[in-house]
């Protein structure tokens, strides 16, 4: 969608933006950018509170033209803390991977060489989900280490925690003298509550430890979907293995029902908590973000209970009725999840454009650069143009990546999150972007000469 027409904009957006232009410098043009549908509304008051310092020289309206910059920090603020977080994330991933190997060893003792076939069958829907999620995440890719952590958490930790809590719950009921409860209770109450909690608690950890990488609802959808996909993968291995123990016909039926007709259930359930946390992470304080885990968690539990309850009820009808009911309900949930992903992906692009518009209206970027950096077509053209010069394409990629980081930083400043540290990060990112632009320009001039 094209930006709105040029307007007078906000006179208090940046620092000394009301000053007359420097001699020989054209007046700075201002533009009002469209706000995204699934992003917080940015008000004049927020922009006044989060004013930014204008550059010493406004960038002229020539694509990728450099300018004299103010002195910016050479090292990214918080670099040491980021390294510590990275080390912890790597250790967590390694630990979960070891856990996956142990589960595979246990599975090998139970299923023998058939485990390889079970893994291959369970991996078919997993590969499709990962491909779609990575496609959704292309606009502003999240760290691969966090994506891997989510996938392994769902496949290993969430499964183990679910089994532990289920056993503890049964033992507690025995000590309380309750005895065995109907199977419907386990399917409709216990499973949704325990599984959705153990899966999505990682989302709270991520948003508290690495909030810069959990910046909106699309990030929440990506993380939640991968956790659910990992959980479904391990669960499918177990269900398929149990069916194979009975007969090859049961294996085929279970594969079709779980991996073909309803592959996105756990993905959809876990996404709910991710999306609500993502909405809060953009604008609210940490304690409010934790609270926003609860409504998404509740919706995921209710959808999970609806699915299990419906399938339990339909099991008392002829097989054809159960299959039709499964297809209808699965199609509805799958469609909702896919459409939600597309809407959030489109909204993310508009949100980036809106945030970068502040930098264009203050003089750090040109409006042409915003048009390039905030559209798929513009990014493609920019990389193609930059590829004509030695090292140019990599510099353009740096500009694109940094522009995404700047949009995150700008929203945090507008929301009053991060304080002075966030302003230091903004200064570092502006210098990083400007330096990449200057190197790209130098490369283009050397070719022209």
């Amino acid at each position: 969608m094209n930006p709105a027409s040029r307007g007078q904009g906000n006179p208090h957006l940046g620092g000394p933006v009301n000053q007359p232009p420097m001699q020989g410098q054209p007046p700075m043009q201002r533009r009002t950018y469209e706000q995204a549908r699934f992003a917080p509304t940015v008000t004049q008051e927020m922009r006044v509170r989060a004013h930014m310092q204008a550059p010493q020289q406004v960038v002229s309206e020539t694509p990728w033209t450099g300018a004299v910059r103010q002195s910016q920090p050479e090292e990214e603020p918080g670099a040491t803390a980021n390294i510590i977080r990275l080390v912890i994330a790597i250790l967590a991933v390694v630990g979960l991977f070891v856990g996956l190997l142990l589960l595979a060893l246990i599975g090998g003792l139970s299923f023998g060489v058939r485990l390889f076939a079970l893994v291959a069958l369970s991996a078919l829907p997993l590969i499709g989900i990962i491909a779609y999620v990575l496609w959704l995440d292309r606009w502003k890719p999240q760290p691969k280490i966090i994506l891997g952590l989510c996938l392994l958490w769902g496949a290993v930790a969430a499964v183990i925690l679910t089994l532990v809590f289920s056993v503890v719950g049964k033992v507690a009921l025995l000590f309380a003298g309750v005895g065995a409860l109907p199977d419907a209770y386990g399917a409709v109450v216990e499973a949704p509550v325990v599984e959705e909690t153990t899966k999505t608690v990682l989302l709270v950890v991520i948003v508290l430890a690495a909030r810069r990488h959990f910046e909106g609802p699309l990030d929440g959808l990506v993380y939640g979907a991968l956790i659910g996909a990992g959980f479904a993968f391990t669960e499918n291995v177990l269900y398929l293995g149990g069916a194979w123990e009975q007969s090859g016909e049961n294996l085929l039926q279970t594969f079709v029902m779980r991996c073909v007709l309803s592959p996105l259930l756990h993905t959809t359930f876990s996404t709910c908590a991710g999306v609500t946390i993502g909405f809060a992470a953009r604008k609210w304080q940490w304690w409010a973000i934790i609270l926003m885990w609860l409504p998404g968690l509740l919706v995921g539990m209710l959808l999970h209970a609806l699915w299990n309850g419906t399938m339990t009820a339909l099991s008392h009808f002829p097989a054809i009725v159960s299959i039709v009911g499964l297809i209808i309900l699965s199609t509805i949930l799958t469609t909702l999840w896919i459409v939600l992903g597309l809407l959030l992906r489109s909204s993310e692009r508009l949100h980036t454009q809106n945030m970068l518009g502040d930098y264009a209206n203050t003089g750090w970027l040109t409006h042409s650069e915003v048009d390039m950096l905030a559209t798929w077509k513009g990014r493609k053209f920019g990389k193609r143009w930059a590829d004509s010069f030695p090292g140019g394409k990599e510099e353009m990629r740096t500009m694109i990546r940094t522009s995404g980081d700047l949009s995150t930083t700008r929203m945090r400043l507008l929301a009053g999150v991060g304080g002075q540290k966030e302003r230091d990060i903004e200064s570092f990112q502006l210098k990083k972007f400007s330096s990449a632009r200057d190197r790209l320009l130098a490369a283009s001039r050397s070719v022209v000469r």
Side-chain angles (χ1 to χ4, degrees), residues 233-423:
F233 167 78
T234 302
E235 192 177 66
N236 285 339
V237 171
L238 297 176
Y239 274 94
L240 291 173
W244 203 349
E245 291 288 345
Q246 299 175 16
S247 68
E249 181 179 348
N250 283 338
L251 171 64
L252 178 61
Q253 180 180 352
T254 303
F255 172 76
V256 172
M257 298 285 280
R258 294 187 62 87
C259 299
V260 178
L261 298 181
S262 56
L264 292 172
L265 297 180
H266 280 292
T267 295
T268 303
F269 303 152
S270 301
T271 290
C272 298
V275 170
T276 56
I277 292 174
F279 276 117
R282 227 166 214 170
K283 194 173 181 180
W284 295 352
Q285 299 299 320
W286 65 269
W287 55 268
I289 296 174
I290 296 178
L291 290 179
M292 282 301 291
W293 172 43
L294 300 179
L297 176 64
L298 180 60
V299 172
M301 289 177 179
L302 291 176
L303 290 177
H304 197 156
L306 172 65
W307 173 267
N308 286 356
T310 302
M311 293 303 103
T312 300
L314 290 178
S315 64
H316 300 292
F317 293 86
I320 185 63
V321 177
S322 297
I323 294 175
V324 171
L326 180 147
I327 293 175
I328 292 175
L329 188 54
S330 177
T331 300
I332 293 174
L333 294 175
T334 298
T335 302
L336 290 175
W337 181 75
I338 292 176
V339 171
L340 177 62
L342 294 175
L343 290 174
L344 292 179
R345 188 176 190 255
S346 175
S347 175
E348 195 68 25
R349 186 194 67 77
L350 285 175
H351 177 66
T352 300
Q353 185 180 58
N354 189 284
M355 293 298 98
L356 293 182
D358 281 11
Y359 296 108
N361 286 330
T362 311
W364 286 103
L365 280 70
T366 69
H367 294 294
S368 297
E369 284 177 322
V370 174
D371 292 340
M372 180 198 74
L373 296 166
T375 62
W376 288 107
K377 184 178 180 180
R379 287 182 172 188
K380 181 179 180 181
F381 171 79
K383 286 187 285 188
R384 184 186 304 166
W385 175 84
D387 197 31
S388 306
F389 317 115
K393 191 171 185 179
E394 185 56 39
E395 299 297 350
M396 180 60 71
R397 284 175 174 165
T398 298
M399 292 171 62
I400 292 173
R401 287 194 300 268
T402 308
S403 68
D405 295 337
L406 277 168
S407 69
T408 296
T409 301
R410 189 61 189 158
M411 185 65 244
R412 286 169 62 82
L413 284 169
L414 290 170
V417 177
Q420 183 58 43
K421 179 181 177 181
E422 206 67 28
R423 294 187 182 279

Side-chain angles (χ1 to χ4, degrees), residues 132-182:
Y132 180 70
V133 167
L134 292 179
W135 179 80
L136 290 176
D137 194 44
R138 278 182 61 212
W139 181 255
K140 193 166 56 177
Q142 301 308 314
K144 296 299 185 290
I145 189 73
I146 299 182
L147 300 182
L149 176 64
C150 290
L151 190 64
L152 287 172
W153 177 270
V156 181
V159 173
I160 294 176
L161 289 174
T162 295
L163 294 175
V164 170
F165 283 122
S166 296
V167 171
V168 170
K170 287 181 172 59
V171 172
L173 289 175
L174 288 176
F175 276 107
V178 176
L181 293 173

